[in-house]
Amino acid sequence: MLKQIARLEPAPPWSFYTALGTLIGVFLSMVIGAGVAQAFFGNDPITPIFGWTVGAALAIIFVLFTRRRTVEDVAALRLEANDNSRLPIVALFCVGMAVTIDVIALGITGDFWTAPELFSLFAINADNTFAALDVSVIAWVIAFIFMVFMQPIAEELVLRGVVFPAARATLGTWTGFFIVVVLHTLFHVMTYLSIAPTDLTRIFYAILVPFLDALVITGVRAYTQSTRAAIVAHAAFGAFMVLKALTLTG
């Protein structure tokens, strides 16, 4: 498996520094989305998740506009799956990994938390338990759309579609691999963290869980050499987190 993951694909027609510029552009898209949501909804619990959904949509448009100009660009993004029959297996594998990471988190922290992206839909009690806020069904629909569709597509287009092949071509197989994992983690911390990491539970769910998720998703991207497979992998993690959050509303 490690030999398969270590395979290098042809270098993309863009540089590593161009790829980092794309990542910065996507981060700015998320900031713009947050500003739009704030203007429309103020301090409503729906504001963060709606803003990130708008930001993800802008990010997808930005990447597809800037990185699909030539045949070489399209090929390097690796959006065509080599074998579509493997995608359900990828999804099931990643659901299993999401459960495993969740069990590890519960064992280490003793707390049962959802993803930071969904924190705004809950109040966190002093004993680190969650209390669901009185939010509309629409908020949960937007959360589902963001976690299962918009976030996976936007992040995977950038991190595993644009940055991943450029990082490996420039920095080497494993250095490039772990740079993408670290960038994924930092992106999550800067964009989605709505509570400062002041204790073990917050640190684990805000930093270490995204890091472990990134290891799995980047491994899927490297093993399959398919950004589409990485999108499916990320969507599986997102679906698990939404279902887990719904169990906390009871």
Side-chain angles (χ1 to χ4, degrees), residues 7-67:
R7 287 182 308 160
L8 273 179
E9 56 199 62
W14 55 80
S15 70
F16 178 56
Y17 300 104
T18 299
L20 291 180
T22 301
L23 182 60
I24 293 171
V26 170
F27 182 77
L28 292 177
S29 296
M30 304 302 286
V31 173
I32 293 170
V36 170
Q38 186 69 35
F40 276 95
F41 298 106
N43 294 322
D44 191 279
I46 200 176
T47 298
I49 201 76
F50 180 81
W52 294 328
T53 302
V54 172
L58 293 175
I60 293 168
I61 293 170
F62 174 72
V63 173
L64 294 181
F65 179 76
T66 59
R67 294 272 69 91

